[in-house]
Amino acid sequence: MARFDIPHADFGTALVAPMPIGETLMERGLAAAAGREGPVDLVSAHMYFNLADQLGAEDAAYHRAEIAASLTKVELGRALRQAREWLVRH
């Protein structure tokens, strides 16, 4: 039988509901901003915080603004484009 490792996935249990998608994206943004999964990636962090904010995650807008202040216009454009592409795919 094949075994798959899905990092940071929260499917819940019989007693606990899964984490809402907005909160999951918020966690991904925090991980990207902190470099928990490799080098710090502020463009990806902004993308995740942007998506999390749209899906109602508390404090996502604050984190997005903090990250945006340290991005160049080119990086910010890339983050926004990646967020739009994510929405189209999902």
Side-chain angles (χ1 to χ4, degrees), residues 2 8 18 25 38 58 62 66 68 70 73-76 78-79 82:
H8 306 290
L25 291 168
E58 191 172 324
Y62 169 80
E66 288 286 311
S70 63
K73 288 183 181 183
V74 171
E75 291 171 325
L76 186 57
R78 191 167 3 128
Q82 288 176 0

Side-chain angles (χ1 to χ4, degrees), residues 4-28:
F4 298 97
D5 182 27
I6 303 174
H8 306 290
D10 184 1
F11 300 110
T13 64
L15 301 175
V16 179
M19 185 182 298
I21 188 72
E23 295 300 323
T24 301
L25 291 168
M26 176 78 170
E27 289 297 320
R28 299 287 295 162

Side-chain angles (χ1 to χ4, degrees), residues 3-87:
R3 208 174 155 179
F4 298 97
D5 182 27
I6 303 174
H8 306 290
D10 184 1
F11 300 110
T13 64
L15 301 175
V16 179
M19 185 182 298
I21 188 72
E23 295 300 323
T24 301
L25 291 168
M26 176 78 170
E27 289 297 320
R28 299 287 295 162
L30 292 171
R36 282 190 244 152
E37 299 172 358
V40 171
D41 186 353
L42 297 181
V43 171
S44 291
H46 186 281
M47 177 199 71
Y48 286 124
F49 290 141
N50 190 16
L51 293 166
D53 182 45
Q54 291 179 28
L55 295 170
E58 191 172 324
D59 295 331
Y62 169 80
H63 291 295
R64 182 186 62 214
E66 288 286 311
I67 296 292
S70 63
L71 296 177
T72 66
K73 288 183 181 183
V74 171
E75 291 171 325
L76 186 57
R78 191 167 3 128
L80 294 171
R81 190 168 36 261
Q82 288 176 0
R84 285 190 301 270
E85 290 170 357
W86 189 94
L87 287 171

